[in-house]
Amino acid sequence: MANGDHLRAGMGVVATDTTLVDAALHPQTGPTLLVRSYVFRPGAPTIPTPWSTEHIGVQAEGPVGVLGLSFNSLGPGVAGIGRSAGSTGVFGSGGATAVWGNGIPSVQAGTTSFSPGSVIGVAGDSVDVAGVFGQSWFGVGVLGRNQEGGRPGVRGEGTTSGGVEGVSLDAPGVFGQSTQSHGVGGRSENGAGIDGNSRQSPGVRGFSAAAAGVLGSSEGSNGVEGFGTKGGVLGYSMGGVGVSGGTRRGPAGVLAMGSNIAFRAVSRRTAGYFEGDVVVQGDFLVLGAKSAAVPTPEGGLRQLYCVEAPEPWFEDQGEAQLMGDRADVTLDPRFVEVVRGNYQVQLTPYAPVLLWVAARQRGCFTVAAQALPGHKLPKTAIPFSWRVIARRADLARAKRFAAVKLPKLAALPDLPAEPRPEPERHASEPVQVPMPKESALGHRLATPADLAQGKRRKRAAK
């Protein structure tokens, strides 16, 4: 075969040295070596579609079947193109690894320096379908592993769509398992770290055998927020606390806000239990009795009820003495400040005399005395007690026996069924993929120790 002659079909070449096929095409473009395999002779009137898969265009055998190198261009070393809709650009089958993309630096033959490694070991591009597709009947469809660094074994990136998408009919769409850390971790700069969406079931579901089912934590906002048309947050427990809230430095352990009723508690026994002081800013309405539980010397508690009135009253009481037939009683100025209008005085003498109120003023009243028939006024001081009742100044306009209109109560949601743990799922068993020590060309691949030493050399050179 002379230089420039065409390689004809059926021609064989037996060589003990490298056989070259050179083509000086630049600046023209085109293949250096074009091999065609026709099912029928060229120009046949009909060509069946699809072709039979038993025909092979190029067959290469040896330690390296096909080697493609790109030295002085940015093009790929080997490119596989499938022009038909159902064809495959590159197909690998059998062996330890069907298709292998190496991005690890390697030592060039006859040198001691490492070649630059690739940023991506295998890249797949696509327009409307999967860029990289892995399928397995009983194993792992796509396996990604990071041996040393703190980066993920598999990473998916997306600009306007999801970086990684998992779809399943009967199992979780995305399943993550870890021995020491989180099963699934999510992080975002401006959006939600993990977003869950469902049409019929909970958007996010958490279950734990010994710890919290769902744990939310935030440095600058709320740890957990819930929004819903029925309930913002629903807590349900079989034997513990349905909803628990606490704070170490904040103003409130649980904050309830609402346009109608901010907080509503319903129970067959005790709807609410408070340990500590209770402050109510606003009216306090009780559909029942108000009482105090008082301990007794013999043990236990006894219930004492509050005195009710159809109007809002304040009262004060005390003791005084008469010297003669008259005495002036001065009211506490703090009591006078919080009442308004006329006040009522009740007197109880501790001697056989008749007492009455001779005059009432804003801050004091005068008590007069008269001996009962058959008695004389004592020459000593006459003790007596007094009780004053006055209307509250801040509720001066409150109506007597005012009608009560309760707020409209929404229907209570049904308690959910007892949540049950889903069937326990486990990740696939670790796949023992041997780490090659040499590239397909027999070059030694760099180890983590080699890479670390190279970094130290660069820092020392700087």
Side-chain angles (χ1 to χ4, degrees), residues 90-103:
V90 175
F91 175 74
S93 175
T97 303
V99 176
W100 179 36
N102 180 26

Side-chain angles (χ1 to χ4, degrees), residues 295-314:
T296 58
E298 62 271 15
L301 300 174
R302 294 294 182 266
Q303 190 172 9
L304 297 178
Y305 294 94
C306 299
V307 178
E308 310 290 352
E311 296 178 88
W313 297 100
F314 280 156

Side-chain angles (χ1 to χ4, degrees), residues 204 224-235 243 255 257 262 413:
V204 175
V224 176
E225 292 185 359
F227 300 91
T229 56
K230 293 185 177 180
V233 175
L234 174 63
V243 176
L255 175 63
M257 297 182 294

Side-chain angles (χ1 to χ4, degrees), residues 44-81:
T46 58
I47 298 178
T49 302
W51 287 5
S52 173
T53 58
E54 297 177 356
H55 290 78
I56 300 174
V58 175
Q59 178 174 341
E61 299 177 358
V64 179
V66 175
L67 173 63
L69 300 177
S70 177
F71 287 108
N72 57 357
S73 68
L74 300 179
V78 175
I81 300 175

Side-chain angles (χ1 to χ4, degrees), residues 375-392:
H375 295 80
K376 294 181 179 179
L377 288 176
K379 296 182 179 180
T380 59
I382 303 174
F384 67 94
S385 64
W386 56 268
R387 181 173 177 233
V388 175
I389 302 176
R391 194 178 183 90
R392 290 181 52 169

Side-chain angles (χ1 to χ4, degrees), residues 81-415:
I81 300 175
R83 296 185 181 277
S84 301
S87 62
T88 302
V90 175
F91 175 74
S93 175
T97 303
V99 176
W100 179 36
N102 180 26
I104 305 175
S106 59
V107 180
Q108 300 288 350
T111 65
T112 59
S113 61
F114 287 95
S115 64
S118 302
V119 178
I120 301 175
V122 175
D125 296 330
S126 177
V127 177
D128 293 323
V129 293
V132 175
F133 175 73
Q135 177 175 329
S136 175
W137 292 108
F138 302 104
V140 180
V142 175
L143 173 64
R145 178 180 298 170
N146 189 305
Q147 292 293 117
E148 300 292 339
R151 297 183 179 181
V154 175
R155 176 175 178 174
E157 298 181 357
T159 303
T160 58
S161 61
V164 175
E165 180 181 27
V167 180
S168 176
L169 293 178
D170 299 320
V174 174
F175 177 73
Q177 178 174 324
S178 175
T179 304
Q180 301 296 335
S181 186
H182 307 295
V184 175
R187 181 177 58 191
S188 175
E189 295 296 332
N190 297 314
I194 295 179
D195 180 43
N197 189 298
S198 176
R199 293 184 178 180
Q200 302 295 334
S201 297
V204 175
R205 184 180 187 271
F207 180 84
S208 175
V214 175
L215 174 64
S217 176
S218 174
E219 292 292 336
S221 184
N222 299 322
V224 176
E225 292 185 359
F227 300 91
T229 56
K230 293 185 177 180
V233 175
L234 174 63
Y236 179 73
S237 173
M238 293 298 297
V241 179
V243 176
S244 176
T247 179
R248 293 182 179 179
R249 298 182 298 270
V254 175
L255 175 63
M257 297 182 294
S259 57
N260 185 27
I261 298 177
F263 181 81
R264 181 181 179 186
V266 179
S267 175
R268 295 180 179 178
R269 299 183 62 182
T270 303
Y273 187 89
F274 301 90
E275 293 186 14
D277 298 337
V278 178
V279 178
V280 178
Q281 184 175 349
D283 296 339
F284 183 68
L285 180 64
V286 179
L287 298 181
K290 295 188 292 293
S291 59
V294 181
T296 58
E298 62 271 15
L301 300 174
R302 294 294 182 266
Q303 190 172 9
L304 297 178
Y305 294 94
C306 299
V307 178
E308 310 290 352
E311 296 178 88
W313 297 100
F314 280 156
E315 70 173 46
D316 195 8
Q317 58 184 342
E319 289 190 9
Q321 293 180 344
L322 288 99
M323 296 298 297
D325 58 354
R326 284 184 177 271
D328 293 330
V329 178
T330 302
L331 297 177
D332 191 328
R334 293 167 294 185
F335 179 79
V336 176
E337 292 176 354
V338 296
V339 296
R340 179 177 300 179
N342 293 330
Y343 53 88
Q344 307 300 323
V345 182
Q346 298 178 1
L347 303 174
T348 302
Y350 298 112
V353 295
L354 177 65
L355 301 179
W356 69 91
V357 178
R360 287 183 301 177
Q361 299 178 3
R362 173 66 178 166
C364 64
F365 60 90
T366 302
V367 178
Q370 181 179 349
L372 295 176
H375 295 80
K376 294 181 179 179
L377 288 176
K379 296 182 179 180
T380 59
I382 303 174
F384 67 94
S385 64
W386 56 268
R387 181 173 177 233
V388 175
I389 302 176
R391 194 178 183 90
R392 290 181 52 169
D394 57 338
L395 298 179
R397 297 182 179 180
K399 296 182 179 180
R400 180 180 177 84
F401 283 110
V404 176
K405 185 177 181 181
L406 297 177
K408 184 178 180 180
L409 300 178
L412 294 175
D414 296 332
L415 290 178

